Amino acid sequence: MKKPLLFIVTLLCANTYAQEHFSGINTSRRTGILNASVNPAELANLKNEMEVNVFTFSANVSNNKITFGDLVGGDDLGDLIFEGDEPVNLRADVEILGPSFAMKYNKWAFGIQTAAKIKTNLVDIDTNLGNAIVNASDDLLIGQANIVTDYNQRASATAWGEIGFSAAREVFENETHKVAAGATLKLIFPGTYANMSADRFTGTIENVGPLVGLTDTHTNVNLAYSGALGDSFTDNSNFSEFFAGGLNGFAADLGVNYQWKDENEGYKINAGASVKNIGSMTFKDDNNVNKSYVVDIPDGQYLDLRQFEDVDNIDDVEAILVNSGYATLTESEKDFKIKQPTMLSLYADVKVYDKWYVTGFLQQNLSDASNNNRVGSQNVFTVTPRYSTSFFEAYAPFSHNEISGFTAGVGFRIGGFFIGSGSILSAAIGNTTQADAYMGFRFGL
């Protein structure tokens, strides 16, 4: 498989990252720092007076083309992802929650969290265009393909670090009800970034002798990068530059929480709402590039797509376009601002009987992932039945994901250690287009 504009496909081959993080455990009855990552108001419900997160890791990938069975079956993913007519969508995520601490003091609770995040996206990639670029030298194209799109096709990746400071307070409490509110201010350290997009692409792909030619084409192209991804977007180690850019961004989470208390223990209902990631980060690395081009290829003239075969950085992509004579620079800037993936979270954990609970969780994206200046996220709805005691918990999240559809998983908690997946049960069948896993350890004092 070649390394073209659609570079993030290579991540799918090398890794199995996914989408709703910590599915099931993030709404656990054993309230801790992980719950506060969903809603900062949950800090007011800390299970212990003090909480320490040692290390927590979540990785997952959602797409609408390649199943888990394909991943382990040895098929050429570069062929499979561009099958059919439906545009390719892929979201890949890694989230690492590092050393973190929280404590309660009277009606207040405070916390400090460290985190590192990676997000990669393929957004609405036309299958004919993607196939022509990735497989241009494999003699797979016959005749011609006409492409007309009215949206922005985008491939992007970014990595950054965060330090968050949280506070929550009980607003109201009596023998039956409790209401709390909370907020988290995040200091953002941009690491590395890359973006390539083609907006409102129209054109024709033809086999012309040995060429795989692009002709009669018009589109607006954005090429941007900062940090290590400017050197190579196919070297996975370049995604580990979490704090390389220094402090250059801020974001906030805001939330409220309600509990209907159980006269025996805990609660009958624990519900909350939060708006997360309100903010942005600015990339200021010395190697920053952010350029926009208008690409016009007259009918009967051709750009040979085979030139992208060995490309592994955006500079080379730009050089091919500029040297072709078909690209006209329209905008160029040094520093650029990328907005965080703002989302709304709603959830309710309901006691059904004794130690049995059922949780409903909704994540609604509030930003457009096709915009070049945004980090993408997606919509998820999850229902999780669980058996929960103070020491042990077992649960099975059933989700509907905007991109990968239905998934089913399982997870366990023993004391402060937990492990699970939001898709392992559906992956066992082999037809799910999501794969994810997470684990972590924390303890209370």
Side-chain angles (χ1 to χ4, degrees):
M1 188 177 73
K2 314 305 180 293
K3 302 179 179 72
L5 290 173
L6 309 177
F7 65 92
I8 300 174
V9 175
T10 61
L11 295 178
L12 185 59
C13 304
N15 307 285
T16 52
Y17 303 154
Q19 204 51 36
E20 181 203 340
H21 288 291
F22 310 110
S23 182
I25 195 66
N26 56 3
T27 51
S28 170
R29 193 165 67 94
R30 187 221 181 270
T31 308
I33 293 173
L34 199 58
N35 301 68
S37 69
V38 175
N39 182 355
E42 285 285 356
L43 281 179
N45 303 323
L46 280 178
K47 185 69 174 179
N48 302 285
E49 291 298 317
M50 290 184 285
E51 171 92 359
V52 177
N53 182 82
V54 179
F55 182 81
T56 304
F57 176 84
S58 174
N60 56 59
V61 67
S62 297
N63 79 101
N64 64 338
K65 296 286 184 175
I66 299 174
T67 69
F68 185 81
D70 296 329
L71 285 173
V72 298
D75 294 322
D76 188 335
L77 305 184
D79 295 338
L80 293 174
I81 199 167
F82 297 118
E83 287 185 346
D85 297 325
E86 183 182 5
V88 178
N89 281 281
L90 180 148
R91 305 288 190 276
D93 267 297
V94 174
E95 186 164 316
I96 303 168
L97 185 61
S100 304
F101 175 78
M103 63 175 291
K104 290 166 57 175
Y105 180 75
N106 295 328
K107 293 186 177 183
W108 286 89
F110 303 94
I112 179 171
Q113 308 94 34
T114 62
K117 300 183 179 182
I118 301 172
K119 286 185 178 288
T120 63
N121 299 276
L122 292 180
V123 181
D124 292 332
I125 304 299
D126 182 87
T127 53
N128 289 309
L129 180 61
N131 188 48
I133 296 173
V134 173
N135 301 309
S137 296
D138 294 340
D139 298 324
L140 297 179
L141 298 174
I142 300 176
Q144 68 177 35
N146 297 313
I147 303 171
V148 178
T149 63
D150 58 358
Y151 49 80
N152 189 33
Q153 303 179 61
R154 184 184 181 209
S156 67
T158 187
W160 72 94
E162 294 179 355
I163 299 177
F165 299 90
S166 302
R169 178 180 168 81
E170 297 174 6
V171 178
F172 171 82
E173 184 175 21
N174 61 21
E175 293 182 355
T176 307
H177 306 285
K178 176 182 175 181
V179 178
T184 297
L185 173 64
K186 301 175 183 178
L187 309 182
I188 303 178
F189 300 80
T192 185
Y193 177 80
N195 183 76
M196 292 179 283
S197 67
D199 189 25
R200 300 182 182 275
F201 184 99
T202 62
T204 300
I205 301 170
E206 297 179 356
N207 290 93
V208 184
L211 303 183
V212 178
L214 184 61
T215 187
D216 193 18
T217 297
H218 178 84
T219 187
N220 297 306
V221 172
N222 176 256
L223 303 173
Y225 62 79
S226 179
L229 286 176
D231 299 325
S232 173
F233 46 60
T234 60
D235 183 349
N236 287 350
S237 65
N238 286 339
F239 289 85
S240 62
E241 302 287 334
F242 297 115
F243 291 85
L247 176 58
N248 273 304
F250 300 91
D253 299 347
L254 304 173
V256 293
N257 173 259
Y258 164 76
Q259 283 193 354
W260 178 12
K261 296 181 180 180
D262 190 326
E263 59 273 14
N264 297 318
E265 179 186 12
Y267 54 76
K268 296 179 181 178
I269 297 176
N270 180 59
S274 65
V275 179
K276 299 172 55 183
N277 303 321
I278 308 168
S280 62
M281 52 188 168
T282 301
F283 287 87
K284 295 184 176 182
D285 196 271
D286 291 339
N287 73 339
N288 272 20
V289 167
N290 186 14
K291 296 182 179 180
S292 296
Y293 291 88
V294 172
V295 176
D296 277 301
I297 306 174
D299 188 14
Q301 298 183 33
Y302 297 91
L303 173 65
D304 187 5
L305 298 179
R306 297 177 305 167
Q307 297 176 80
F308 296 102
E309 178 176 354
D310 297 317
V311 168
D312 72 346
N313 63 77
I314 296 179
D315 274 344
D316 289 347
V317 174
E318 182 182 21
I320 292 171
L321 291 177
V322 172
N323 293 336
S324 72
Y326 300 126
T328 302
L329 181 66
T330 59
E331 185 178 359
S332 178
E333 57 181 319
K334 180 68 174 175
D335 299 335
F336 49 91
K337 182 179 292 186
I338 304 299
K339 294 182 180 180
Q340 287 279 294
T342 306
M343 63 187 72
L344 171 69
S345 294
L346 302 172
Y347 61 90
D349 189 34
V350 180
K351 184 175 184 178
V352 178
Y353 174 75
D354 195 20
K355 306 296 183 182
W356 293 91
Y357 295 77
V358 174
T359 306
F361 173 83
L362 172 68
Q363 175 181 290
Q364 178 66 44
N365 183 21
L366 299 180
S367 58
D368 186 354
S370 67
N371 287 346
N372 289 325
N373 66 341
R374 290 186 181 274
V375 177
S377 61
Q378 63 176 306
N379 303 325
V380 181
F381 178 70
T382 302
V383 175
T384 307
R386 72 180 74 242
Y387 177 81
S388 179
T389 70
S390 59
F391 183 75
F392 175 78
E393 190 168 355
Y395 51 90
F398 299 89
S399 300
H400 185 273
N401 188 297
E402 177 186 8
I403 293 175
S404 58
F406 174 77
T407 60
V410 67
F412 302 92
R413 175 183 62 83
I414 301 175
F417 173 79
F418 59 88
I419 188 170
S421 167
S423 61
I424 192 170
L425 295 181
S426 47
I429 302 173
N431 62 354
T432 183
T433 54
Q434 175 168 315
D436 70 284
Y438 59 80
M439 64 181 298
F441 177 70
R442 66 268 177 91
F443 63 89
L445 301 172

